[in-house]
Amino acid sequence: MIDPLGRTLLFRGIDPTDDSRESWWFTPGGGVEDGEELIEAAAREILEETGLRVEEFGPVVLHRRTVFDFTGSAYDSHETTFLLELDEPLTISTGRHSPLEQSAILEHRWMAADEIRALAEPYYPDCLADLLERIVAIGPPPEPWFELDGRR
C-alpha cells in the first residue's frame, strides 16, 4: 500500500503474551481462510485492518517466507505482497480489528523509505525500505522479489 506521497502504511505491534519481546513494525496483512483465494484474503485483510475496500490490486511485488513465534504458537509463513497504489491519502479505520489485533497493535504510521530505515525497532519484511524506494523511483520490479527470513 503506497500513498501519493510515496509512503507505505506500517503497524507497530507486540506479542501480548510475551513481555520480554520488543515491538516491531509490519505491513497490513494476514492469513488466508479456508476456501478463500489469495486475492480475496488480501482484500479482506486490508478492509479489516484499514477500513479500505479494495476492488483491484496491482502486481505481486514480493514473496516472503519466514518462521516466527507469536502468542505461544510457531508459524511458518508464506507471504505474498500485492502492490496497492492509492490515489489519495487514506485515513486508517481500526474499528474492524479483532480482539487480538487490538491487544497487539500499538500504533500505525505512514512512512517513506528513509523513515523506515531510521526506525529503532525491527521492521518486516526486511527488504521493505529498498522495495518501497524502488517502486516510488521507477515502478514495481518486473518479477516479484523473494525474501527468506531477511535474505533476498
Side-chain angles (χ1 to χ4, degrees):
M1 180 179 296
I2 300 176
D3 77 359
L5 301 175
R7 303 174 305 174
T8 194
L9 176 65
L10 292 178
F11 292 106
R12 185 169 70 91
I14 57 168
D15 183 335
T17 65
D18 186 349
D19 292 340
S20 69
R21 292 177 64 187
E22 66 181 327
S23 64
W24 63 91
W25 293 88
F26 59 96
T27 56
V32 178
E33 295 178 356
D34 287 340
E36 195 173 44
E37 297 292 326
L38 192 57
I39 199 80
E40 293 170 329
R44 178 184 48 75
E45 288 290 345
I46 292 294
L47 176 62
E48 290 173 1
E49 293 185 3
T50 71
L52 176 66
R53 289 191 188 280
V54 178
E55 300 297 323
E56 188 173 327
F57 286 92
V60 172
V61 294
L62 175 66
H63 293 288
R64 177 175 182 249
R65 178 156 184 238
T66 187
V67 177
F68 62 94
D69 292 321
F70 183 67
T71 63
S73 296
Y75 293 89
D76 184 353
S77 179
H78 299 258
E79 301 169 3
T80 300
T81 302
F82 295 93
L83 178 60
L84 177 57
E85 294 181 280
L86 303 175
D87 294 330
E88 56 190 49
L90 174 66
T91 300
I92 301 304
S93 170
T94 59
R96 290 182 173 93
H97 282 193
S98 69
L100 176 58
E101 289 167 333
Q102 291 172 15
S103 68
I105 296 175
L106 303 175
E107 65 178 305
H108 64 270
R109 191 182 318 163
W110 289 93
M111 290 186 232
D114 59 336
E115 294 171 295
I116 295 169
R117 287 188 187 100
L119 288 169
E121 303 92 352
Y123 59 87
Y124 303 103
D126 293 322
C127 67
L128 181 61
D130 293 340
L131 181 58
L132 176 61
E133 188 171 68
R134 190 231 190 266
I135 292 170
V136 169
I138 60 175
E143 296 294 325
W145 287 11
F146 180 79
E147 182 177 279
L148 175 62
D149 276 333
R151 297 182 312 274
R152 265 192 289 170

